[in-house]
Amino acid sequence: MKELIKALGSACCMSLLTMGVSAQDANDLMLANGIGLLNVPYVAHTLDQGDQEELIVNCDEVDCTTFVEYALAMSLCPMEDGQIAEGDFIDNVQRVRYRDGKVNGYASRLHYITDWIDNGVRNGYLEDITAQKSNYEQKVSVYYMTTHPSLYKQLTHSQENVAAMKKVEEALSKETYRYIPKDKLPTNGLPWIKSGDIIAITTDIPGLDISHMGIAFYVKGTLCLLHASTVSKKVVVSRTALSQMLKEAEHWTGIRVVRIRK
Ligand code: 2YP
């Protein structure tokens, strides 16, 4: 736990944990907490430190998923005078990152975003908005991690972890989800997509479900993405519309929209 506090002691998290976030609406909180992480450097694999799976909280280096997780975890905390408690934040990071909030080996981390969303809906802190609003359906077929083990440190040296992840992939590959195809998303978004919503970008990369994540942010009526950008190498608000980003990304097929529930 002490290393966690050390990580948490970083400027970014402490400023957010103590910053007076006045927003009350949960989506406003998501946006405020996401904006509070602006310019944080993009660093991949921050969670893949040791061989033993443990909760790591590092708000000074984020990728697209950990960025959304930290904003979500902060936004789920009870607030008193615009402040949140450090312990609540750490508990919520574990809650959103691990299946049913339990750290139990590498495969308990919600590696595929279909699993990550399912966990939030099942545990009542996320709402699948695209499931309510869209009739476009996509079958899940995930096998990317176990067919690219060399990209995942904990899979390279552990047949046990590969076998456990294969079970996860098989279970997820029985599911379907609703999404908005890229050509159905206007520049100015859709009336039911709100700033602060979580955007998961669907992909046609074989064996993968989602290939990027961020937070919806309307800027002068244009739906942009607040995200940890692999291009800008930091957390930014996209200078182009999300619809344009989708057009320019060959393997991005559309979006899923999920919303925080407090
Ligand atoms: C996830 O990748 C990893 C988790 O293992 C990791 O790669 C997979 C299937 N899961 O715990 C988590 C946090 O580091 O990242 C994410 C990755 O997005 C990258 C990091 C990004 O755009 O910043 C999630 O899965 C969200 O989209 C995909 C993407 N992974 C790949 O494209 C292989």
Side-chain angles (χ1 to χ4, degrees):
M1 186 55 103
K2 63 182 180 311
E3 59 277 8
L4 286 180
I5 302 302
K6 190 168 84 256
L8 200 60
S10 63
C12 143
C13 273
M14 288 313 282
S15 63
L16 273 164
L17 295 177
T18 53
M19 181 179 86
V21 177
S22 59
Q24 289 312 314
D25 168 76
N27 266 55
D28 292 345
L29 279 173
M30 275 299 289
L31 193 56
N33 288 318
I35 286 172
L37 291 166
L38 269 178
N39 297 317
V40 169
Y42 178 101
V43 177
H45 306 303
T46 57
L47 306 186
D48 303 317
Q49 300 302 322
D51 288 335
Q52 292 308 313
E53 187 70 20
E54 61 176 357
L55 180 66
I56 292 175
V57 178
N58 176 0
C59 298
D60 288 346
E61 303 170 319
V62 293
D63 62 32
C64 74
T65 300
T66 59
F67 162 67
V68 172
E69 289 178 333
Y70 295 138
L72 178 58
M74 289 174 209
S75 306
L76 287 170
C77 290
M79 282 174 75
E80 264 181 55
D81 309 327
Q83 313 225 344
I84 59 178
E86 194 168 80
D88 291 340
F89 171 64
I90 292 174
D91 292 347
N92 278 324
V93 175
Q94 180 165 324
R95 183 180 174 207
V96 306
R97 184 172 290 161
Y98 290 96
R99 192 168 295 104
D100 299 323
K102 295 185 183 65
V103 181
N104 181 19
Y106 183 67
S108 67
R109 195 192 316 166
L110 299 160
H111 298 278
Y112 290 105
I113 301 308
T114 298
D115 214 355
W116 190 94
I117 292 172
D118 287 351
N119 190 67
V121 172
R122 183 172 65 247
N123 288 289
Y125 58 82
L126 289 181
E127 200 179 351
D128 183 347
I129 303 299
T130 12
Q132 299 166 20
K133 300 287 185 183
S134 171
N135 293 322
Y136 294 97
E137 193 159 85
Q138 174 71 46
K139 192 184 166 328
V140 180
S141 172
V142 286
Y143 50 81
Y144 187 88
M145 292 180 72
T146 57
T147 52
H148 297 80
S150 60
L151 300 180
Y152 301 90
K153 193 174 139 198
Q154 293 89 331
L155 295 184
T156 315
H157 308 299
S158 166
Q159 277 312 310
E160 184 190 346
N161 284 344
V162 171
M165 281 311 301
K166 272 209 169 71
K167 286 205 180 80
V168 170
E169 291 170 341
E170 281 159 15
L172 290 172
S173 297
K174 297 187 173 84
E175 296 184 21
T176 61
Y177 58 69
R178 299 289 175 86
Y179 78 116
I180 297 296
K182 63 197 306 185
D183 61 345
K184 302 285 185 264
L185 181 68
T187 303
N188 56 0
L190 290 163
W192 48 269
I193 300 178
K194 308 290 180 202
S195 285
D197 281 343
I198 295 166
I199 302 290
I201 295 176
T202 58
T203 183
D204 61 8
I205 294 172
L208 202 55
D209 52 344
I210 299 292
S211 61
H212 194 53
M213 294 174 87
I215 296 173
F217 187 17
Y218 284 95
V219 179
K220 298 195 180 90
T222 298
L223 177 58
C224 298
L225 194 67
L226 168 58
H227 66 132
S229 165
T230 47
V231 173
S232 310
K233 290 290 175 214
K234 61 182 178 178
V235 176
V236 296
V237 177
S238 64
R239 304 177 75 81
T240 54
L242 175 57
S243 58
Q244 186 57 33
M245 293 169 72
L246 288 164
K247 281 194 188 84
E248 291 168 2
E250 182 194 354
H251 291 295
W252 290 3
T253 55
I255 62 168
R256 293 187 65 185
V257 181
V258 294
R259 183 167 299 157
I260 180 175
R261 280 183 72 198
K262 267 193 103 167

